[in-house]
């Protein structure tokens, strides 16, 4: 519908987890303690994806949760004279536990069986509250953040996102 190229830090992270490489080892050491993928790896990934952006598509970033990553994106997009909108999809901790434990099933179970246990989920929730909160404040200060309630049926979440995109496009066309 919007001719988007997805830039998914989660997909990149899972790919690294499987890699027999220096960066793969580094990620396994950090995520195995409940920490996120190192910022330097995410930054390299984001720069590469932005530089390889197809001319006929916009980018949709899924991830990039830390303030330094957000600042990098803003700096690069400003330099390219491109605008952006950030979405923050909220979810209660209880639902985060439930969904995280469900990831141990399906085609990714080999990766998540090691990393998704209650202790590591608790660590990630605490980290998220502390670190992602800084990113949320940063995007709010730029007036670039739309908060979406993720604790509702997927079609309703989708409807809320599409509505926000429509309002954003209308605002862009008016300015």
């Amino acid at each position: 519908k919007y001719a988007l190229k997805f830039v998914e830090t989660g997909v990149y992270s899972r790919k690294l987890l499987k890699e027999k490489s220096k960066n793969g080892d580094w990620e396994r050491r950090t995520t195995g303690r409940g920490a996120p993928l190192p910022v330097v790896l995410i930054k390299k990934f984001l720069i590469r994806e932005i530089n390889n952006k197809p001319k006929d598509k916009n980018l949709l970033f899924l991830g990039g949760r830390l303030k330094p990553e957000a600042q990098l994106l803003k700096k690069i997009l400003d330099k390219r004279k491109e605008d952006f909108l950030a979405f923050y999809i909220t979810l209660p901790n209880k639902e985060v536990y439930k969904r995280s434990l469900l990831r141990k099933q399906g085609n990714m179970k080999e990766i998540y069986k090691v990393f998704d246990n209650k202790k590591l989920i608790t660590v990630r929730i605490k980290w998220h509250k502390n670190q992602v909160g800084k990113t949320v404040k940063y995007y709010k200060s730029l007036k670039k953040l739309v908060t979406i309630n993720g604790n509702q049926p997927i079609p309703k979440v989708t409807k809320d996102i599409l509505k926000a995109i429509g309002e954003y496009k209308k605002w862009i066309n008016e300015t």
Side-chain angles (χ1 to χ4, degrees), residues 41-58:
L41 293 178
I42 290 290
K43 282 185 168 185
K44 285 180 183 179
F45 169 71
L46 293 174
I47 290 167
R48 184 184 75 226
E49 292 298 310
I50 291 169
N51 288 337
N52 293 328
K53 175 186 175 250
K55 292 187 187 320
D56 61 338
K57 290 189 180 237
N58 288 314

Side-chain angles (χ1 to χ4, degrees), residues 96-158:
V96 172
Y97 274 104
K98 180 180 156 189
R99 293 183 187 189
S100 295
L101 291 171
L102 285 173
R103 292 193 312 185
K104 293 169 80 167
Q105 302 169 6
N107 63 353
M108 296 304 292
K109 64 183 172 189
E110 288 304 312
I111 290 174
Y112 290 118
K113 75 177 181 181
V114 175
F115 297 113
D116 278 347
N117 60 57
K118 287 188 179 190
K119 181 180 175 187
L120 288 180
I121 295 168
T122 300
V123 168
R124 284 202 317 267
I125 289 172
K126 183 178 178 184
W127 171 86
H128 188 276
K129 183 177 181 180
N130 293 331
Q131 296 302 312
V132 176
K134 294 174 187 175
T135 309
V136 168
K137 286 179 188 173
Y138 174 70
Y139 281 136
K140 277 184 181 178
S141 75
L142 299 172
K143 297 185 180 1
K144 294 290 185 183
L145 187 77
V146 174
T147 301
I148 303 287
N149 175 8
N151 196 28
Q152 54 185 347
I154 292 171
K156 176 66 171 118
V157 172
T158 302

Side-chain angles (χ1 to χ4, degrees), residues 9 14-15 18 27 48 65 71 74 76 85 88 91-92 98-99 103 110 113 116 128-129 141 143 161 165-166 168 173:
T9 57
R14 288 186 291 278
K15 179 182 169 227
K18 294 177 181 180
E27 181 179 3
R48 184 184 75 226
R65 296 178 183 102
Q71 291 169 321
K74 181 176 182 336
I76 293 170
L85 184 64
Y88 180 54
L91 204 57
K98 180 180 156 189
R99 293 183 187 189
R103 292 193 312 185
E110 288 304 312
K113 75 177 181 181
D116 278 347
H128 188 276
K129 183 177 181 180
S141 75
K143 297 185 180 1
I161 292 170
I165 291 170
Y168 174 74
N173 291 331

Side-chain angles (χ1 to χ4, degrees), residues 22-80:
K22 179 181 164 188
N23 289 342
D25 292 343
W26 189 9
E27 181 179 3
R28 284 186 291 280
R29 283 193 309 273
T30 57
T31 57
R33 294 189 310 265
L37 183 65
V39 172
V40 69
L41 293 178
I42 290 290
K43 282 185 168 185
K44 285 180 183 179
F45 169 71
L46 293 174
I47 290 167
R48 184 184 75 226
E49 292 298 310
I50 291 169
N51 288 337
N52 293 328
K53 175 186 175 250
K55 292 187 187 320
D56 61 338
K57 290 189 180 237
N58 288 314
L59 299 176
L60 175 64
F61 297 95
L62 302 163
R65 296 178 183 102
L66 296 179
K67 186 176 176 184
E69 297 160 13
Q71 291 169 321
L72 172 70
L73 285 174
K74 181 176 182 336
K75 180 180 175 182
I76 293 170
L77 294 173
D78 281 352
K79 188 183 257 187
R80 295 169 63 110

